[in-house]
Amino acid sequence: MDERRARIFDDLRGVLDGELEFEPSARASYAFGASLYEVEPLGVVAPRTEHDVVAVVRYAAEHRLPLHARGAATDSGGGALGPGLVIDFSRHLRKVVHDAGDHVVVEPGITPDALNAHLAPLGRRVEPVPVNAAVGTVGGMIAVDAAGERSPRFGSMADQVERLRVVFAQGETADVGFSPWPSSDDDATTLADSIVRKLHNIRRMALRRPAPPSAALPRNRAGYALSRACTDDGIDLARLICGSEGTLALVLQAALRTVPLPGAQGVALLPFGRIADAADAARRCLEAGLAPSACDLYDWRLLSLARDVDPALHSWIPEAARSALVVEFEADSADEVAGALRRLAGRLARDGRFVGEPATATRRADCERLVGLRRLAEPLLMKAGAAARPISAMDDVAVPPEQLGPVIARFQEVMKRLGIMWTLSAGAADGRIRLRPFLDPADPGDRSRIEPLAAELYEIVLEAGGTVSASSGCGLARTQFLPRQYGDLVQTFRDIKDAFDPAGLLNPGKVIGDDPHQMSRDLKRFPAAAPAAAADSVLLAAAGSGTHRVVPAEGRAEAPTPGPEVILPVLRWPEPGAVGIASACHGCGACRGLEPAMRMCPSYRAHRREEATPRSQANLLRQVASGAADPKLWGSEESRQLASLCIHCKLCKTECPAEIDVSGLMLEAKAAYVELHGLPPGDWVFSRLEMWARLASRFPILSNFLLSRRSARWVIERLLGVSRHRVLPPVRRTPFTRRAARMGLTKARPHEPGPRAAYFVDVYANYYDHELAEAVVDVLRRAEVNVFVPPRQRSSGMAPLIVGDVDYARDLAVSNLRVLGNAVRDGYTIVCSEPTAALMIRHEYVKLTGDLDAELVAQNTMDLGQYLRGLDARGQLPTPSDPLHARVGYHQPCHLRALGVGTPGLELIRKIPELDVEFIDRGCSGMGGTYGLARGQFRTSLRAGRQLVRRLRDDDIEIGSTECGACRIQMEQGQTKRTLHPIKLLSLAYGLNPSLRRHFKDPKPRHVMF
């Protein structure tokens, strides 16, 4: 932290309740968003209260510091980026302050989806909601005057705002809404009154200037909406602030109108052979006065992606469709909706342009799926894997709806002439066009094409009477084009800015800007060459590399180019290498989502810090490799702290739209620290989990006694870092592998009949839960499986891997591969009762080592439930016959989800007679393997898993069930209910464990595990 930042930090920390973040890694996390741009801020403030915001604004005014309000930074124009102090409203200011009747008062950091989830039980909602409603914030929607799929019916955000509570650049707060024009005798008693008086004069002058054609557009978010905010009687300051991108005032609270949930809705998907036909159909739909609530157009690329990912869409979208129009109607009754759908089909079917039968849906879930087609399809564009990606800098234009077809045709001509691949969707009812050309932002040639291409496309739009920004704001991408759109009226915008913010401290450079080439400034930096070129990159992919190696680089330039050392990753990465994979992050913010059905990202959900998001963690590598961040950050304590926020749930790879393995990237960051500084003592303790379990099993009575004593746990916490509050399972006297040897299970018998399964036990079942291991063996034998427990197997190695102790993890992997490889060659399938072990063997061993057995073993390893489900599908698994009278809450472990095999354990126990099973799909348990054991992370892990634990505590759930041992520890923390592996329940249904049947539902002591 430099002297200036240190001074600001010291000045503010005594007056704010919120957090201050001025360290390089924190600033790097806030330097980018979903746009093409990257600007390192001076520092970051995360206010907890309105008082915090006002204090920061007053401090900034006194010291003339720029301020940039930030929600989720998901806009395409870079409107939340800047070199001043960033105020993060999304971390704490996200409450519903008041809801009553037809309005709701909220803080700006709440997401639209969270708000609508709150309103749904009241039969209300806020509309329109944008495509990023799961992660974007209400404050961000107000800042850009966002629109959404249902804007044809509900307008934009400005149409829903009743009043705003704001703080002006001078630090004065006000509740603003409609204010009458002052008379000449009125005195300005407040800053708001003074601003209204100035705006009155500005309006008089603006009326003398010619209005551009875009003034009549239904969607126009370029510049300040003075004409729409004003009447002859006065001005609505709240409406003027909407769409001002945080340049006029900062929103503290918003009073929003709500609308009733529809009584009925219906959607028609109309397939066409050409985009021009779909655009013309939208025009005729509007001319017929059908008044749809949504009317969106999609090109063939988005349609084909949607068909590929959602089987339900196969019957709705014909393969011959090169474009489609999705039209929705809402009404109070189903008859009204059905009538509107009939009139639509009758109107458009006459000319025979359909290339398939139009599809209709009236069930709410189906309607939402079709209306939300863009939410489904657009993220899939990021999974292409090629260097070229859909660029979003030109995706927010609007034209008069009748000009939609001709303008799209001209766009097609431009893209064809330039040889650029593209994709397009449109809000056809209000003329919004979202064109996204595919360009490589790391290629200097493609970067140089962005501004000329935008200028040519915008010229087409403006000639048609359109606007360069419909609903995403101007930001850094579009501000330079406002003079071309508005001419002399730009001076009116400057006057408005001066009336609110004469010092120009609120988000400077947005809406008002003097740089004619601002669009090309501050673009994200990428490594100059492919990651395999040692002379030009900081991080290189070294396939099969055993350890980090520090290599001198000859002739390296001074900063901001990368520093004088090259760090070779320890994992084996496919092309384009670690940095190339990290650079594929679009910054879309999907990892900030809070939907219960999604797991990414448990750490962010617990911390609500931008640094905890996978996009921040992935971009750390790109920033270091490109020189956008100090290369000294790599391998530092600061980067280790950032990497430690990742709990390695491994779900980024499957749930991230760009499929980025952020967990692997953070393993590289941790390993880099270990290489330079050694393994910290606390991490060493957790990496030797198997050693501690083996030691405890030699003295089980003493070990279990100590763990039951509060004073002993306090000492263990101080010495080893294990939280004294964590309830741990009792250790068993003898490892199960030793008992298996006495049972004759450790000798392979490939000559015997039946399917062959080699059981990989791992630490939890081996040392803590013999009942689980015995159930596995008993059920497999019941299915006449030839069971083999390989001797000399060790832990899977996940514990050392996730703390960056890669060398030890590799040693464990090689040791296990020697044992498991022989079993596979004997025809055995490796079966794991612990999903973490299956994930480690299948995915991580091949990254850790180039051993020839790694691929062989990975291809022949399965989760236990997956294996049993396969037996069941072939008719080799007996049907469970003994009924179990219980209500079970099942949790799917993150590592099982990351394996991509579904929920086989859930499917199997649902076949048990009279067993009532609920799938509690409420996110991660928060345990994260050894993460939740640590003293400093115990409470964080509980926050991450609170939704699951809350449901388990409900009276109607009698026991829990999950495959993961760590999840079981979390699920039984502070609970009197037991949690069982699905295989135990299956064994009970086979009548195999009578002792467990007698007490499997009995309450247990709250602070004890059995």
Side-chain angles (χ1 to χ4, degrees), residues 602-604 606-607 609 612 641-649 670 683 686 689 721-723 726 798-799 802-803 924-945 966 970:
S603 183
Y604 171 74
H607 293 279
R609 295 167 55 191
Q641 291 297 326
L642 180 71
S644 69
L645 294 171
C646 176
I647 67 173
H648 302 283
C649 68
K670 294 177 181 179
D683 288 348
F686 289 111
L689 182 63
V722 179
S723 173
R726 177 59 69 187
M798 183 64 84
I802 63 175
V803 297
C924 175
S925 73
M927 191 63 183
T930 58
Y931 177 88
L933 297 177
R935 172 179 55 199
Q937 295 155 348
F938 172 74
R939 296 192 183 280
T940 302
S941 75
L942 293 181
R943 284 199 302 271
Q970 183 82 308

Side-chain angles (χ1 to χ4, degrees), residues 47 177 224 458 702 850 864 964 1005:
Y224 297 127
Y458 289 161
L702 176 61
L864 173 65
C964 174

Side-chain angles (χ1 to χ4, degrees), residues 731-806:
V731 70
R732 304 303 177 186
R733 178 180 297 276
T734 305
F736 177 77
T737 49
R738 193 174 301 170
R739 293 183 59 193
R742 292 198 293 264
M743 296 164 62
L745 296 173
T746 55
K747 183 177 180 180
R749 296 178 175 84
H751 58 280
E752 292 186 358
R756 303 170 202 169
Y759 178 30
F760 185 82
V761 185
D762 210 12
V763 173
Y764 190 82
N766 201 22
Y767 292 99
Y768 296 100
D769 195 351
H770 289 180
E771 200 172 60
L772 166 60
E774 291 165 357
V776 171
V777 172
D778 290 345
V779 170
L780 289 173
R781 282 180 161 177
R782 185 65 175 263
E784 299 182 352
V785 173
N786 178 353
V787 182
F788 168 46
V789 180
R792 299 184 303 279
Q793 59 176 278
R794 302 179 66 184
S795 77
S796 65
M798 183 64 84
L801 183 63
I802 63 175
V803 297
D805 191 359
V806 176

Side-chain angles (χ1 to χ4, degrees), residues 296-353:
D296 287 330
L297 180 152
Y298 297 94
D299 73 352
W300 71 271
R301 194 181 306 278
L302 292 169
L303 292 176
S304 61
L305 287 172
R307 288 182 84 256
D308 290 342
V309 75
D310 190 345
L313 296 176
H314 276 260
S315 60
W316 290 340
I317 305 175
E319 289 191 21
R322 311 303 289 175
S323 181
L325 202 62
V326 176
V327 184
E328 182 197 48
F329 297 97
E330 293 183 345
D332 294 331
S333 70
D335 289 342
E336 293 178 78
V337 168
L341 290 173
R342 283 195 302 272
R343 291 194 298 274
L344 173 70
R347 172 80 178 183
L348 300 182
R350 296 169 188 166
D351 54 12
R353 296 184 184 179

Side-chain angles (χ1 to χ4, degrees), residues 791-945:
R792 299 184 303 279
Q793 59 176 278
R794 302 179 66 184
S795 77
S796 65
M798 183 64 84
L801 183 63
I802 63 175
V803 297
D805 191 359
V806 176
D807 289 339
Y808 184 48
R810 183 177 290 110
D811 290 343
L812 292 174
V814 172
S815 177
N816 284 328
L817 287 173
R818 296 285 78 80
V819 174
L820 301 180
N822 290 333
V824 171
R825 279 184 284 273
D826 282 340
Y828 285 90
T829 297
I830 311 302
V831 174
C832 306
S833 58
E834 193 72 34
T836 297
L839 184 75
M840 191 74 183
I841 296 170
R842 285 178 58 172
H843 293 175
E844 303 303 322
Y845 281 12
V846 294
K847 292 182 180 179
L848 281 168
T849 175
D851 192 294
L852 294 178
D853 277 346
E855 286 286 354
L856 174 68
V857 173
Q859 293 169 6
N860 289 276
T861 296
M862 304 178 77
D863 170 73
L864 173 65
Q866 179 189 11
Y867 182 79
L868 292 175
R869 183 174 61 186
L871 293 179
D872 186 47
R874 296 190 296 272
Q876 295 174 292
L877 185 68
T879 301
S881 56
D882 289 11
L884 294 180
H885 305 281
R887 170 77 170 165
V888 179
Y890 170 82
H891 166 69
Q892 181 190 25
C894 291
H895 285 172
L896 180 64
R897 190 167 181 145
L899 285 169
V901 298
T903 53
L906 174 64
E907 295 168 21
L908 290 171
I909 62 176
R910 277 181 167 164
K911 295 186 177 185
I912 297 175
E914 300 186 31
L915 188 68
D916 187 4
V917 185
E918 176 186 333
F919 180 17
I920 306 178
D921 195 10
R922 299 196 180 185
C924 175
S925 73
M927 191 63 183
T930 58
Y931 177 88
L933 297 177
R935 172 179 55 199
Q937 295 155 348
F938 172 74
R939 296 192 183 280
T940 302
S941 75
L942 293 181
R943 284 199 302 271

Side-chain angles (χ1 to χ4, degrees), residues 478-497:
R478 292 175 275 270
T479 292
Q480 75 180 61
F481 298 99
L482 292 190
R484 170 65 184 86
Q485 179 172 334
Y486 285 102
D488 293 341
L489 203 58
V490 168
Q491 182 57 47
T492 298
F493 299 156
R494 294 183 183 276
D495 294 340
I496 294 171
K497 173 70 171 175

